[in-house]
Amino acid sequence: MSRIGNAPISVPSGVDVNVDGRTISIKGPRGELSRELPGAITVEVDGDTLRCARPNDENQTKALHGLTRSLVNNMVIGVTDGFKKELEIVGVGYRAEPQGPSALRLNLGFSHTVDVTAPDGVTFEVPQQTQVIVNGIDKEIVGQVAANIRSIRKPEPYKGKGVRYAGERIVRKAGKAGKK
């Protein structure tokens, strides 16, 4: 039994759910998301709750059962509240500058600046020069954009300089032992 897959998804008021064959589309106050359902998993709408059902107990189907429930739940949360990932920039002279709501210019110690443009549905906020917040309604895209920004200059283990997630702990190395 998949405990995650069997849990019902509550749909808040103001959110419309439409299941059309293998496609589920969810519309809310922040926008609209749609997705193809994987495998043989079906989603049933029962008033203000959604349930994911699987036809058999094969291993692949059981794995997709919990996955589908999590994906649909994230869609509901995304169109109501949205998702955000916070990034911190650590290093002397490292900073971010907003270039509008969907563009960002990063100075990360290279000989040039790095420009990042957001895909549709994703926006950037820069409350401080060393902090970037990635906002959007699709959890998958928000996480991928944040990971792409982090991959431009990953935190290095000696001084900890680079782009990291907020609250991320960097394991530090000792470095060279000097002459004695």
Side-chain angles (χ1 to χ4, degrees):
M1 291 295 271
S2 171
R3 292 185 187 147
I4 294 174
N6 288 332
I9 301 167
S10 63
V11 179
S13 61
V15 175
D16 297 327
V17 178
N18 184 19
V19 179
D20 184 30
R22 308 281 326 130
T23 305
I24 182 169
S25 60
I26 300 176
K27 191 175 199 176
R30 289 188 174 248
E32 182 176 0
L33 292 172
S34 64
R35 178 180 289 274
E36 287 284 323
L37 296 173
I41 307 299
T42 58
V43 175
E44 302 154 358
V45 181
D46 182 29
D48 61 345
T49 60
L50 298 174
R51 286 200 174 276
C52 295
R54 66 175 188 240
N56 55 38
D57 284 340
E58 295 177 5
N59 284 341
Q60 180 72 18
T61 308
K62 288 195 289 189
L64 290 175
H65 188 210
L67 170 73
T68 304
R69 192 262 177 205
S70 293
L71 292 174
V72 172
N73 188 46
N74 286 339
M75 290 170 66
V76 171
I77 293 170
V79 297
T80 54
D81 300 330
F83 292 100
K84 72 176 182 177
K85 281 275 192 184
E86 296 183 24
L87 298 167
E88 296 173 347
I89 301 173
V90 178
V92 177
Y94 289 14
R95 64 182 171 272
E97 303 168 15
Q99 303 290 317
S102 62
L104 196 61
R105 176 165 288 155
L106 300 171
N107 292 329
L108 297 175
F110 298 118
S111 61
H112 59 281
T113 60
V114 179
D115 292 332
V116 177
T117 56
D120 293 338
V122 175
T123 59
F124 296 125
E125 290 178 33
V126 184
Q128 300 173 353
Q129 288 185 337
T130 59
Q131 187 179 12
V132 176
I133 301 174
V134 183
N135 293 310
I137 61 172
D138 192 344
K139 186 175 186 178
E140 189 175 348
I141 294 175
V142 168
Q144 187 62 54
V145 169
N148 290 344
I149 293 172
R150 183 181 181 273
S151 71
I152 295 170
R153 178 73 89 173
K154 290 182 183 170
E156 52 98 9
Y158 297 102
K159 293 186 179 178
K161 294 170 25 172
V163 180
R164 65 176 79 168
Y165 296 115
E168 181 181 6
R169 187 173 155 267
I170 305 301
V171 178
R172 304 288 290 273
K173 290 185 178 179
K176 279 200 240 181
K179 287 186 178 179
K180 294 190 179 180

